[in-house]
């Protein structure tokens, strides 16, 4: 009998566990599309309810993260702007993620995939952090939807990204630029980013299909994945490091070889006869020609504020040597032409320079006035601090006595409070009234004032039929119809907008036009009084929707 009851109890526990599991798994399952005919029009008609859910992330439970697989191909390196610290590339981006709202039978619908417009689906807000300009690549309006819910998106992008360039070894420099992919708004609990192909495959395919083979050459691509902390949340980021090398042949032919030719001609100018003035005029012509060469070369050399390239140091030394050779020529010509007219150096000048000044050079260094003042200050400081050091124990004993007295008073006060608490004859209200402060709380008055303060600003509570995102989206439709007005119940209520921004790059300063070019990430926060919901009833405490469905404050930068 006991075994029968135990077995029945075990069966009941197993059935209850199975029912609970099915109830938990039911909201997270995708609905199957039924096609009337195995063709594209029937499949499109069956997918029509799915298009109404394009405003939310395609998961039944918001605690489920959407895994986005990323890969790209570099089609061309368009150029590098050393002055603005920008790298210009042309990419083909590939994104893959799962849509939990839809599946279908390929045999029943006649196809295992279909190409549909991008605006009919939710698309992850994956951006490149270093992106510094608008995308001027052609627009691809379609994405592929597979029968198992896989969404595949591919689009071209002209990426103008910031890159910290090190041009110390110009023109033989190798630059390392970074592409950081992450979600603009969603945290790691919502969107996780993974690498779809290996970096070796991305590098090989990029080298094979690269069409723009100009000044820069692609060496390799590496990556690492990490979480960027933003307060209590994390943002999943995938960073690619792209190493490119400059082809230095053009700069060697146009810059280094002509400069070496001019220095060689300047050295051979010493073979000219020093008695004539032809050598000086020839060197002056070389210096003027080299100055013009530097002005022309200024447009080719990179300009940066971090380091000075070695090639600039080389050109400066060449110019300094040419000026030194000109001064030497002038000195030699002056000595040769004016030695007959000049008298020999007087004896007293030789004695002054060689004996007196030479003896003065080796004299010991005298103590400076600042050192003497410092020594006097140290002596005065010792004279002041000495008596204080002697009185130190006395002051310390006085402080200890004060602390002990204060501790005795606090101990006596604590004993008195405990005695009053243990005494049952005197109530707590009598104990409070015997003190200086008389407290008479009124709970009803407090509740009445609280209701008056919050009556005008209360928001409408949403009711969700199920704890999932589709039911929450359905409950939010009346709120979306009010996106044309400011979200306050009373027009006299002010909408407080909190603003913060991150300065990502300083693109440049145009002094002539008085323009300052920057790239910032702006963040706005405000409260919508038209909506509120119970997180337990709706299954989540937040949801991401398109910006066009809500009222957005018209906060602008006046100097834009």
């Amino acid at each position: 009998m006991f075994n029968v009851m135990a077995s029945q109890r075990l069966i009941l526990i197993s059935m209850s566990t199975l029912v609970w599991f099915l109830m938990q798994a039911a909201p997270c399952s995708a609905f199957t599309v039924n096609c009337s005919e195995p063709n594209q029009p029937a499949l499109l008609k069956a997918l029509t309810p799915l298009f109404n859910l394009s405003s939310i992330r395609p998961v039944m439970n918001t605690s489920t993260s959407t895994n986005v697989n990323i890969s790209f191909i570099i089609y061309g390196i368009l150029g590098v702007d050393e002055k603005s610290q920008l790298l210009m590339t042309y990419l083909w981006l590939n994104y893959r993620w799962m849509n939990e709202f839809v599946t279908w039978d390929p045999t029943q619908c006649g196809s295992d995939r279909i190409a549909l417009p991008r605006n009919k689906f939710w698309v992850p807000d994956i951006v490149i952090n270093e992106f510094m300009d608008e995308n001027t690549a052609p627009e691809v309006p379609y994405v592929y939807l597979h029968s198992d819910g896989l969404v595949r998106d591919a689009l071209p992008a002209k990426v103008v990204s910031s890159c910290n360039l090190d041009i110390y070894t110009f023109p033989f420099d190798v630059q390392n630029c970074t592409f950081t992919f992450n979600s603009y708004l969603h945290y790691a609990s919502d969107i996780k980013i993974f690498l779809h192909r290996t970096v070796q495959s991305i590098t090989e395919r990029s080298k094979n299909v690269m069409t723009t083979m100009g000044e820069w050459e692609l060496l390799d691509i590496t990556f690492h994945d990490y979480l960027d902390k933003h307060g209590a949340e994390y943002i999943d980021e995938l960073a690619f490091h792209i190493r490119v090398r400059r082809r230095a042949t053009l700069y060697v032919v146009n810059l280094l070889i002509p400069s070496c030719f001019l220095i060689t001609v300047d050295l051979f100018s010493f073979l000219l006869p020093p008695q004539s003035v032809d050598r000086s005029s020839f060197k002056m012509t070389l210096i003027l020609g080299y100055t013009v060469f530097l002005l022309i070369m200024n447009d080719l050399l990179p300009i940066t504020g971090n380091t000075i390239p070695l090639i600039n140091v080389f050109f400066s030394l060449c110019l300094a040597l040419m000026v030194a050779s000109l001064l030497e020529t002038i000195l030699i010509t002056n000595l040769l032409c004016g030695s007959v007219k000049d008298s020999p150096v007087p004896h007293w000048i030789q004695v002054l320079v060689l004996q007196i000044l030479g003896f003065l050079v080796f004299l010991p260094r005298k103590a400076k006035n600042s050192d003497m003042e410092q020594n006097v200050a140290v002596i005065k400081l010792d004279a002041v601090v000495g008596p204080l050091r002697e009185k130190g124990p006395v002051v310390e004993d006085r402080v200890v006595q004060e602390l002990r007295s204060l501790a005795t008073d606090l101990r006596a006060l604590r004993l008195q409070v405990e005695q009053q608490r243990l005494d049952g004859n005197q109530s707590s209200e009598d104990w409070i009234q015997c003190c200086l402060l008389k407290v008479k709380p009124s709970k009803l008055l407090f509740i009445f004032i609280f209701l008056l303060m919050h009556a005008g600003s209360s928001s409408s509570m949403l009711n969700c039929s199920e704890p999932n995102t589709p039911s929450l989206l359905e409950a939010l439709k009346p709120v979306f119809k009010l996106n044309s007005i400011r979200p306050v119940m009373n027009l006299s209520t002010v909408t407080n907008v909190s603003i913060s921004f991150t300065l990502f790059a300083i693109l440049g300063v145009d002094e002539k036009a008085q323009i300052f070019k920057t790239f910032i990430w702006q963040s706005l926060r405000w409260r919508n009084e038209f909506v509120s919901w119970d997180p337990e009833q709706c299954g989540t405490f937040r949801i991401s929707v398109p910006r066009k469905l809500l009222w957005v404050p018209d906060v602008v930068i006046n100097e834009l």
Side-chain angles (χ1 to χ4, degrees):
M1 186 66 180
F2 178 76
N3 294 332
V4 173
M5 294 178 63
S7 61
Q8 290 179 355
R9 183 177 297 178
L10 181 62
I11 292 173
L12 290 176
I13 294 175
S14 301
M15 291 179 64
S16 61
T17 304
L18 180 61
V19 170
W20 179 84
F21 179 77
L22 292 176
M23 291 179 64
Q24 293 293 325
C28 299
S29 60
F31 59 87
T32 304
V33 175
N34 296 320
C35 301
S36 59
E37 297 179 4
N39 52 35
Q40 278 204 128
L43 179 58
L44 179 62
K45 183 178 180 181
L47 289 174
T48 302
L50 174 66
F51 303 151
N52 297 328
L53 302 176
S54 61
S55 301
I56 59 176
R57 192 164 56 91
V59 291
M60 300 299 294
N61 191 352
T62 54
S63 61
T64 304
S65 61
T66 302
N67 299 330
V68 181
N69 296 311
I70 294 178
S71 65
F72 66 92
I73 300 174
I74 300 180
Y75 265 74
I77 300 175
L78 305 182
V80 176
D81 188 353
E82 292 86 356
K83 183 176 182 180
S84 301
Q85 301 282 293
L86 296 178
L87 171 67
M88 291 166 282
T89 53
Y90 189 76
L91 308 179
W92 269 93
L93 303 175
N94 292 277
Y95 300 137
R96 294 170 181 261
W97 67 94
M98 295 298 297
N99 191 321
E100 296 184 2
F101 294 156
V102 59
T103 58
W104 72 81
D105 185 6
T107 305
Q108 181 185 7
C109 297
S111 176
D112 63 340
R113 63 180 182 179
I114 184 173
L116 296 172
R118 180 181 284 105
N119 56 7
K120 293 183 178 297
F121 295 93
W122 177 88
V123 179
D125 54 339
I126 303 296
V127 296
I128 300 176
N129 278 349
E130 295 79 12
F131 195 77
M132 295 297 166
D133 200 358
E134 295 182 358
N135 185 14
T136 57
E139 183 180 359
V140 179
Y142 295 98
V143 297
Y144 263 121
L145 176 64
H146 292 253
S147 60
D148 58 350
L150 176 65
V151 183
R152 183 162 54 90
D153 188 10
L155 68 158
K158 179 185 176 183
V159 180
V160 181
S161 60
S162 64
C163 182
N164 190 12
L165 302 176
D166 185 9
I167 56 173
Y168 182 72
T169 59
F170 175 87
F172 308 98
D173 52 334
V174 177
Q175 304 297 339
N176 190 356
C177 298
T178 304
F179 288 165
T180 305
F181 291 83
N182 65 355
S183 175
Y184 186 81
L185 182 64
H186 296 87
Y187 295 106
S189 58
D190 299 330
I191 292 180
K192 293 183 180 179
I193 304 176
F194 297 92
L195 185 62
H196 180 60
R197 289 193 177 95
T198 61
V199 289
Q200 292 80 10
S201 175
I202 294 175
T203 304
E204 293 299 327
R205 294 190 63 184
S206 299
K207 290 182 178 180
N208 293 332
V209 303
M210 189 174 294
T211 57
T212 304
M213 303 294 291
E215 179 183 355
W216 295 90
E217 176 187 2
L218 177 63
L219 295 181
D220 58 7
I221 300 175
T222 58
F223 90 103
H224 71 275
D225 189 7
Y226 61 96
L227 295 176
D228 186 13
K229 187 174 182 180
H230 285 249
E233 299 286 351
Y234 290 87
I235 293 180
D236 193 10
E237 295 184 349
L238 190 63
F240 293 88
H241 303 283
I242 302 173
R243 293 178 66 247
V244 293
R245 179 174 58 192
R246 193 193 304 265
R247 292 186 174 93
T249 305
L250 178 64
Y251 294 96
V252 170
V253 174
N254 291 340
L255 299 179
L256 295 179
I257 295 178
S259 178
C260 294
F261 283 165
L262 291 176
I263 290 296
T264 304
V265 172
D266 183 71
L267 291 176
F268 279 99
S269 64
F270 285 98
L271 299 177
L272 295 174
Q275 291 81 5
S276 61
V277 294
D278 294 338
R279 180 189 292 182
S280 300
S281 60
F282 180 73
K283 287 184 176 294
M284 184 63 70
T285 305
L286 284 179
I287 291 176
L288 292 177
Y290 199 80
T291 304
V292 175
F293 171 72
L294 291 178
L295 293 176
I296 298 175
M297 188 176 54
N298 188 38
D299 297 334
L300 300 177
L301 291 178
I303 300 175
T304 180
N306 295 333
T307 57
I308 299 177
L310 286 176
I311 191 170
N312 287 354
V313 178
F314 171 72
F315 291 145
S316 300
L317 289 177
C318 291
L319 183 60
L321 290 176
M322 295 181 69
V323 173
S325 65
L326 177 61
L327 294 177
E328 184 181 1
T329 301
I330 294 174
L331 179 61
I332 294 174
T333 304
N334 187 20
L335 291 177
L336 292 177
C337 297
S339 59
V340 179
K341 301 179 181 179
D342 294 339
S343 59
V345 179
H347 180 70
W348 66 272
I349 294 180
Q350 295 180 1
V351 173
L352 177 64
V353 173
L354 298 178
Q355 296 183 5
I356 299 177
L357 294 180
F359 177 76
L360 295 176
V361 169
F362 294 98
L363 288 177
R365 186 175 64 89
K366 294 182 179 180
K368 296 182 179 179
N369 295 331
S370 60
D371 297 337
M372 297 176 64
E373 293 176 358
Q374 185 176 3
N375 295 332
V376 173
V378 170
I379 294 173
K380 292 181 179 180
L381 182 61
D382 292 338
V384 175
V385 174
L388 293 179
R389 289 178 179 175
E390 296 177 357
K391 296 180 181 180
V394 179
V395 177
E396 184 178 359
D397 294 339
R398 186 180 301 172
V399 172
V400 172
Q401 292 176 1
E402 293 291 337
L403 290 176
R404 289 177 179 174
S405 176
L406 180 60
T408 304
D409 296 338
L410 291 176
R411 191 179 299 109
L413 181 61
R414 181 180 178 182
L415 292 175
Q416 185 178 3
V417 172
E418 290 180 354
Q419 183 67 27
Q420 293 293 338
R421 186 183 61 182
L422 295 175
D423 191 3
N425 297 328
Q426 189 176 8
S427 63
S428 60
E429 293 183 358
D430 295 337
W431 168 248
I432 294 174
Q433 290 178 359
C434 72
C435 301
L436 294 177
L437 296 177
K438 296 182 180 181
V439 181
K440 295 182 179 179
S442 179
K443 297 181 180 179
L444 295 177
L445 180 61
F446 175 76
I447 295 174
F448 181 71
I449 295 175
F450 180 80
L451 292 177
L452 287 178
M453 292 178 61
H454 293 80
S457 59
S458 61
S459 58
S460 59
M461 182 68 68
L462 299 181
N463 295 320
C464 301
S465 58
E466 297 180 6
N468 52 35
T469 52
S471 62
L472 179 57
L473 179 64
E474 184 67 24
L476 283 172
K477 285 185 178 180
V479 180
F480 297 154
K481 295 179 181 179
L482 300 175
N483 61 349
S484 302
I485 59 176
R486 191 163 57 90
V488 291
M489 303 298 294
N490 192 351
L491 289 177
S492 61
T493 304
V494 179
T495 301
N496 299 323
V497 181
S498 301
I499 300 177
S500 64
F501 68 91
T502 303
L503 181 62
F504 263 71
I506 300 175
L507 303 182
V509 178
D510 189 352
E511 295 85 354
K512 184 176 181 180
Q514 300 287 298
I515 295 176
F516 178 53
K517 300 178 183 178
T518 56
F519 187 82
I520 64 174
W521 275 32
Q522 185 176 347
S523 176
L524 303 179
R525 293 173 181 265
W526 68 95
R527 186 170 298 278
N528 192 322
E529 297 184 2
F530 295 156
V531 58
S532 65
W533 68 81
D534 185 6
E536 295 182 357
Q537 182 185 5
C538 297
T540 181
F541 68 96
R542 68 183 179 190
I543 185 173
S544 59
V545 295
R547 184 180 283 105
K548 62 182 180 181
L549 297 180
L550 297 175
W551 178 88
V552 179
D554 55 339
V555 177
V556 297
I557 301 176
N558 285 345
E559 295 79 12
L560 189 63

